[in-house]
Amino acid sequence: IHDKSVISNSSIEQLEFVYHDKFINFDITFPGQSVKRVFGLKNNSSHKLSLDLKFSNGNIKKKFESVLENSNKIENEIENSQNIFSCFSLREDHFNEINIILKPFETETIELNLITPFVKNKRELYSLIEVFSGRENILNIPIMGYVHIPKLVCLCDTRGGSFPMINLKIEVKSKGQKFKIPFKNFSLLDMELDIIIERKFNEN
């Protein structure tokens, strides 16, 4: 973590958010995927800071816009994904809130986890980490992500009813026949596949 962006709601910017941007971006993920990001918090003051970090459970649109004031405004209402899916967590132990103590001018790195929810349609993920010193909210850290649904297409002609069947011409008298079945990944990410030949089947 080299680039630094200072985000603070306090009149004295004693706490510094150390990351390469003003928000944490998980980019594009598939449902069920586990992703991690690491950010830093730096104490710029000459006294010790006791901090409580937790995910916001309220409306986060105004807090997003206040932090990202120099970026494009969020035109539509956004949902707090943490309220719906509980998909974000802090540290390896997957806590929803943590307490840290920073010595003067000390920096601590914190791991943020995303377990992408299983959704049927593409979806944007939004959440917000609120940092408190005592009762004062001194820092807000926006979180963004995007769930993309994997799409795999078989390029062979398919026939049949609701369940598509791939027609392979099998020569009865021939042995050791080979078939090439082309598939195309229409997703925005690399796809890892397991291909299984089911040897037990019913008449359908």
Side-chain angles (χ1 to χ4, degrees), residues 156 166-172 174 177-181:
C156 284
I166 301 170
N167 296 308
L168 302 177
K169 184 179 180 181
I170 299 177
E171 300 291 342
V172 179
S174 178
Q177 298 173 67
K178 295 181 179 180
F179 302 94
K180 291 184 178 180
I181 306 175

Side-chain angles (χ1 to χ4, degrees), residues 52-164:
D52 294 308
L53 283 71
K54 63 180 182 179
F55 295 101
S56 174
N57 57 8
N59 190 317
I60 57 177
K61 186 173 187 287
K62 290 184 179 180
K63 293 181 179 179
F64 255 78
E65 291 180 342
S66 66
V67 172
L68 306 176
E69 57 185 355
N70 295 326
S71 305
N72 295 329
K73 292 289 184 182
I74 301 175
E75 296 181 358
N76 302 321
E77 289 297 320
I78 61 176
E79 292 181 307
N80 189 338
S81 302
Q82 187 68 2
N83 291 344
I84 304 171
F85 303 111
S86 296
C87 50
F88 297 102
S89 61
L90 293 162
R91 290 187 169 164
E92 294 180 356
D93 296 323
H94 300 284
F95 292 125
N96 285 329
E97 54 183 277
I98 59 173
N99 172 266
I100 62 172
I101 296 177
L102 291 177
K103 298 177 182 179
F105 309 108
E106 180 184 25
T107 300
E108 180 164 340
T109 57
I110 300 167
E111 184 180 274
L112 177 63
N113 304 287
L114 165 64
I115 298 179
T116 313
F118 285 97
V119 292
K120 295 182 179 179
N121 300 308
K122 60 184 180 180
R123 190 184 188 106
E124 293 179 331
L125 300 177
Y126 295 98
S127 190
L128 188 93
I129 296 176
E130 297 176 326
V131 183
F132 289 86
S133 177
R135 295 184 178 181
E136 183 184 5
N137 177 209
I138 63 173
L139 182 68
N140 289 321
I141 305 172
I143 307 168
M144 298 181 189
Y146 180 79
V147 186
H148 178 73
I149 308 303
K151 184 177 181 181
L152 182 70
V153 175
C154 175
L155 302 181
C156 284
D157 291 334
T158 58
R159 298 177 184 176
S162 59
F163 188 81

